[in-house]
Structures are given as structure tokens and as C-alpha cells.
Amino acid sequence: MDIQFSARHFNASAGLQDRIQEEMDKLAKFYPNITSASVVLDHEVEHQRHCEITLNIAGGQVVASADEENMGKAVDVTLERIKIQLKKANDKLNDHRAQPVSEVV
């Protein structure tokens, strides 16, 4: 999966980027057809950090974001939200498949 990182108004540490990379790699178990991802980390306001993740999946996009007091918590909340959306997208994909002929008869 191709991941693009953007950090606005601060420099994201290599440790933070590595942690996000590891967590993004784990998302494949919820939805296997993720083609690319964009992660935007923002530190515009004094005590508020913003994280937004956009995933390009087969058939569309999934977007989640969170505003928290520290960047680690913002990333965690955003990842939890994206996992929920990926589970729903995977369920929709699997629910629309036809029944096997062996089960119909």
C-alpha cells in the first residue's frame, strides 16, 4: 500500500511515521483491497491536534479524522474510526454476493 504523509505546522518524527505505517499495514486484514492512503497530521491550534486518514479502496474512498489534545491520541482515534468503516465496507461487499448453487437447491 502506498502511503503519503503530510505534517502541517510541525515536523512529524520518524517514530510517529513508523508507528502509523505499522498500523496502516494492519488495516489490510479488515479490507484487503486498499490501494493507497493519505495521512494528514495538523498542529494549527495550541492545544489541539488533528489527524485525517483517507484510504482509496476498490469502489471508493474511506475518510476518517479526529481532533484531540495530543497527536498520539488523535492518530489512535482516527485509526479506530477507519477500522469501523472498513469493516462496514467489507460486510457490504460480502453481503451482496450471490448464494452458491449448492445452498440454493
Side-chain angles (χ1 to χ4, degrees):
M1 167 181 11
D2 179 35
I3 300 175
Q4 294 180 342
F5 289 98
S6 297
R8 297 180 187 159
H9 305 104
F10 81 107
N11 292 327
S13 67
L16 179 63
Q17 290 183 7
D18 290 342
R19 181 173 157 252
I20 294 171
Q21 176 73 41
E22 290 172 8
E23 293 294 327
M24 297 293 282
D25 290 339
K26 292 177 185 177
L27 292 178
K29 70 180 179 182
F30 297 107
Y31 196 89
N33 297 329
I34 301 172
T35 56
S36 64
S38 172
V39 179
V40 178
L41 307 173
D42 196 0
H43 175 133
E44 188 170 342
V45 183
E46 181 68 28
H47 296 289
Q48 190 166 357
R49 309 299 186 265
H50 180 78
C51 177
E52 180 177 309
I53 298 175
T54 304
L55 297 178
N56 293 316
I57 61 174
Q61 272 189 342
V62 177
V63 180
S65 64
D67 294 316
E68 297 292 334
E69 61 270 1
N70 64 42
M71 192 58 72
K73 190 171 182 180
V75 169
D76 290 341
V77 171
T78 305
L79 285 169
E80 287 302 315
R81 290 177 180 172
I82 208 93
K83 285 177 188 176
I84 292 169
Q85 291 184 28
L86 286 176
K87 286 178 186 177
K88 286 181 183 178
N90 197 23
D91 288 344
K92 283 183 183 179
L93 183 68
N94 290 333
D95 287 345
H96 287 100
R97 292 189 181 162
Q99 287 182 330
V101 175
S102 61
E103 290 181 12
V104 173
V105 176

